[in-house]
Amino acid sequence: YISAPASKIFAMPGTLTGSIGVIMGKLNFQGFLSDLGVRMDPGRNFGKNAGLMSQTMAYTRAQTKQINHLIDDVYLEFLSKVSSGRGLSMKMAKKVANGRVWTGEDAYRLGLVDALGGLEDAIRASKEVAGLGENAKVVRVKEETSFFRDFGQALKGVVSGEALLDYAVSSLFGYDVRVMRELESQVNGRPAMLEPAFLF
């Protein structure tokens, strides 16, 4: 909803616009790991919701209720921001929300965007809103990295196979594999106990 209060929003006629909705969940690898013979021991429990976002435990009924309550709160906040930012009644905001995706033309018709157009149209309008002349210089900033770019580079051999594996495992399980490799070199085959919290 970051764009909702903008002075002017543009969309191309075929742009996918939306969705106004909230979704939340987590991947649960418990069954997968069990099939591989891996058993995760959560260790010391710090509270009934300490493992709420654990990728090796399902939500309890109470946690599911808690998550749904959180989603409802965030969704109402989202609707409120869209309603005030786009000058729509709450009733209209609800009508166009609920996770729906619209074309740019539909979004324009529904009041979610202010005009149909592309980047150059948006730049022209931005200069106008800022009180700048038509010939004012525009600096375009581009993001140089992304998951797909990094992953693509790794596949091209720019990164070693071990680094690629580390990156994939770190992305999936949310902990730094380099820490594990360092610990592995430190214990050198001796038994060791590691608290899961140390990984995150």
Side-chain angles (χ1 to χ4, degrees):
Y1 52 69
I2 192 168
S3 62
S7 302
K8 201 162 195 177
I9 298 177
F10 286 84
M12 296 295 282
T15 299
L16 294 180
T17 308
S19 75
I20 301 167
V22 178
I23 188 167
M24 184 177 175
K26 66 177 180 176
L27 295 173
N28 183 354
F29 293 100
Q30 186 175 23
F32 171 71
L33 293 172
S34 178
D35 289 348
L36 295 175
V38 175
R39 186 179 68 83
M40 298 295 286
D41 182 356
R44 188 171 50 174
N45 200 338
F46 293 96
K48 63 184 178 182
N49 290 317
L52 181 72
M53 296 310 291
S54 168
Q55 293 181 323
T56 58
M57 289 186 261
Y59 292 131
T60 64
R61 281 192 181 136
Q63 288 171 339
T64 299
K65 189 175 179 181
Q66 224 177 347
I67 291 290
N68 284 330
H69 182 69
L70 174 65
I71 290 169
D72 291 343
D73 286 350
V74 173
Y75 182 62
L76 284 174
E77 177 71 16
F78 196 165
L79 284 174
S80 173
K81 296 226 186 273
V82 169
S83 173
S84 64
R86 298 283 79 216
L88 301 173
S89 69
M90 193 62 142
K91 183 179 179 181
M92 183 60 175
K94 286 179 181 178
K95 184 177 177 182
V96 300
N98 206 22
R100 292 182 184 89
V101 178
W102 307 95
T103 65
E105 283 187 27
D106 289 335
Y108 176 66
R109 181 179 50 79
L110 295 166
L112 294 173
V113 301
D114 301 299
L116 295 175
L119 180 60
E120 294 306 319
D121 299 306
I123 290 171
R124 247 189 320 279
S126 296
K127 287 179 182 180
E128 201 175 290
V129 168
L132 300 173
E134 194 176 304
N135 295 324
K137 184 179 177 185
V138 174
V139 177
R140 295 182 189 203
V141 179
K142 293 184 181 179
E143 179 63 43
E144 290 298 320
T145 63
S146 72
F147 170 82
F148 294 107
R149 183 171 187 264
D150 293 346
F151 194 72
Q153 294 242 346
L155 289 177
K156 289 178 185 171
V158 174
V159 177
S160 71
E162 185 176 283
L164 174 60
L165 179 62
D166 289 357
Y167 182 77
V169 170
S170 296
S171 296
L172 281 173
F173 295 104
Y175 63 82
D176 193 337
V177 175
R178 292 172 299 178
V179 172
M180 292 302 293
R181 290 199 191 286
E182 179 61 28
L183 286 170
E184 184 180 41
S185 70
Q186 296 292 325
V187 296
N188 197 21
R190 295 182 304 247
M193 185 179 126
L194 177 65
E195 235 180 283
F198 179 73
L199 299 173
F200 302 94

